[in-house]
Amino acid sequence: MPKEFKILKHDLTCKISKEELVQFSLLLNKGLDTTFMIEICFRCHKNILAKLNEGEKLVSILTNGKENYFQILRILKDRLPFKEAIHCANEIDDVGKGWIKELIKTSIYPAFLFLFSFGMILFFQEMILPAMSQLASKQVFLFLSILQFVFSLLLFLIFVFLIFFLIVYTQKKTEHLYAIFCRFALFRKVISLHFSLLMSTFLGYGLSTMECIEMLCKIHPKSLYHPLAIQIQKALHQGNTMIQALQLCHMDEEFVRFFTMGLHTSSTKELLHLYQQKVQKELEQKAKKLSLYIQIASYISVGIVVLTVYQILLVPMNVLNTL
């Protein structure tokens, strides 16, 4: 029988990281040999060079990743020189991460304290107080039951909100989330801040306002600001000015005011930076206030529970003193 030979096709998959592309961009326009740059910047340089030999374009190879960063880069490479496209994609991918991390850090301790307080209430309510039922009055059990109900209700509402958010978000129906939450001033401020950060980044690379809106309609399709960009683009196509489009889309009033002044004075980028600094400080202050309120409520709740148990423990001593 003739032997059967299997032709093995070489795996030319190129797993390129964001960091490798940044290193590669630093060497661009320096007069260096392309092969040399590829060999020192990319771990999968052999596969990249093999694909180049097959006739593929270098830019297409380097932007073929599936991550959101590479999706942004594929859009930007048609608008900007490749080196600038890499830098712009890095900035867009990192937009908002700084102040969001600060907000998360601010909320970690209050969240832990809230859960700890709830755990303490459950522990005393279920384990300690039943053993002291003969010493404690009905009012004490009623009060602690109300306290437990309030904590349980808050946790339940938070859980339901997160489940609802994840379901809608994973179904890529962010326009529904935006339609619901745009009624709240705080949400409009957060979305306007993120929108402003993206706009100022694009403007910094020489894109026009219309090009910025077009780019925002293409990147991050699952983000909460994506429906906003689509609405603005529709409003512009209907003959509205940029300011009218922003007002129709329920943007933060301060953002509209700063943006209007920027357009009239040809300093949109600078005024957007001022708006970002102002709003970030406001959000940080609100987060700190909320954190303080949660801490105070948690401390008071634990204090009430401990004081209640202490008072119950004093009942036998008071009885003995009266004898």
Side-chain angles (χ1 to χ4, degrees):
M1 292 179 63
K3 295 182 179 180
E4 296 181 356
F5 295 94
K6 294 183 179 179
I7 301 175
L8 298 175
K9 186 177 181 180
H10 293 290
D11 182 14
L12 297 181
T13 303
C14 300
K15 294 183 180 180
I16 299 170
S17 68
K18 177 180 174 180
E19 292 73 21
E20 289 175 331
L21 270 177
V22 172
Q23 294 174 357
F24 183 74
S25 69
L26 296 175
L27 300 179
L28 288 173
N29 304 329
K30 301 292 184 182
L32 298 174
D33 179 63
T34 304
T35 302
F36 171 74
M37 291 191 296
I38 292 172
E39 288 176 345
I40 64 173
C41 291
F42 301 104
R43 286 171 295 180
C44 59
H45 57 87
K46 293 182 180 179
N47 290 355
I48 295 174
L49 294 173
K51 285 191 173 187
L52 283 175
N53 291 332
E54 291 178 358
E56 289 191 42
K57 293 183 179 179
L58 179 60
V59 174
S60 299
I61 298 170
L62 299 182
T63 59
N64 199 31
K66 295 180 180 179
E67 294 84 357
N68 189 55
Y69 168 77
F70 291 98
Q71 294 176 6
I72 298 170
L73 189 56
R74 282 194 292 272
I75 296 169
L76 289 172
K77 69 181 177 62
D78 298 326
R79 296 276 184 176
L80 299 170
F82 191 52
K83 183 173 183 176
E84 292 184 9
I86 293 173
H87 294 164
C88 185
N90 290 336
E91 293 183 36
I92 294 296
D93 193 47
D94 293 335
V95 157
K97 290 182 179 178
W99 66 272
I100 289 174
K101 286 180 180 178
E102 288 299 321
L103 291 178
I104 292 174
K105 286 180 182 177
T106 306
S107 61
I108 286 176
Y109 178 69
F112 168 76
L113 193 59
F114 177 82
L115 293 174
F116 175 77
S117 303
F118 183 60
M120 287 283 289
I121 292 169
L122 284 178
F123 175 73
F124 280 106
Q125 183 78 356
E126 302 296 332
M127 303 295 293
I128 304 299
L129 292 180
M132 302 178 179
S133 57
Q134 294 180 351
L135 302 175
S137 63
K138 292 182 179 180
Q139 289 80 3
V140 172
F141 282 98
L142 179 62
F143 179 75
L144 290 178
S145 297
I146 293 172
L147 198 61
Q148 180 182 343
F149 173 77
V150 171
F151 272 78
S152 301
L153 181 62
L154 288 173
L155 283 175
F156 175 75
L157 292 175
I158 293 171
F159 179 76
V160 169
F161 171 78
L162 291 176
I163 293 297
F164 169 76
F165 184 89
L166 289 173
I167 290 174
V168 178
Y169 188 80
T170 52
Q171 294 296 320
K172 298 182 180 181
K173 295 181 179 179
T174 51
E175 64 275 6
H176 297 316
L177 286 176
Y178 182 81
I180 294 170
F181 294 115
C182 70
R183 304 168 188 174
F184 302 100
L186 181 60
F187 177 80
R188 292 198 300 270
K189 195 174 286 290
V190 171
I191 290 296
S192 297
L193 171 61
H194 205 79
F195 188 85
S196 171
L197 289 166
L198 293 168
M199 283 285 291
S200 60
T201 301
F202 284 133
L203 291 171
Y205 285 90
L207 297 178
S208 66
T209 306
M210 292 297 294
E211 287 177 323
C212 292
I213 299 299
E214 185 182 343
M215 298 298 290
L216 291 173
C217 291
K218 293 179 179 179
I219 65 173
H220 295 164
K222 291 175 65 176
S223 66
L224 287 174
Y225 66 80
H226 185 259
L228 173 64
I230 297 295
Q231 289 180 21
I232 293 173
Q233 189 179 55
K234 286 182 179 178
L236 291 172
H237 289 164
Q238 291 171 358
N240 295 288
T241 64
M242 186 66 184
I243 305 303
Q244 291 172 336
L246 294 175
Q247 292 172 341
L248 289 171
C249 296
H250 308 291
M251 296 286 287
D252 179 36
E253 293 179 358
E254 282 191 311
F255 172 79
V256 177
R257 185 157 57 89
F258 274 80
F259 194 84
T260 303
M261 291 173 61
L263 287 180
H264 291 161
T265 58
S266 299
S267 55
T268 307
K269 184 182 175 183
E270 290 75 12
L271 282 167
L272 286 180
H273 280 307
L274 291 175
Y275 170 78
Q276 292 156 18
Q277 293 173 2
K278 184 177 183 297
V279 173
Q280 284 176 3
K281 287 181 180 179
E282 289 179 6
L283 292 176
E284 287 174 4
Q285 289 174 355
K286 288 182 178 180
K288 287 179 181 178
K289 282 184 179 179
L290 179 61
S291 170
L292 180 62
Y293 294 150
I294 294 174
Q295 290 181 51
I296 292 173
S298 300
Y299 287 137
I300 292 174
S301 301
V302 173
I304 289 173
V305 173
V306 173
L307 185 61
T308 302
V309 174
Y310 177 72
Q311 291 294 330
I312 294 172
L313 292 174
L314 287 179
V315 171
M317 298 180 64
N318 293 333
V319 173
L320 290 173
N321 290 331
T322 56
L323 295 177

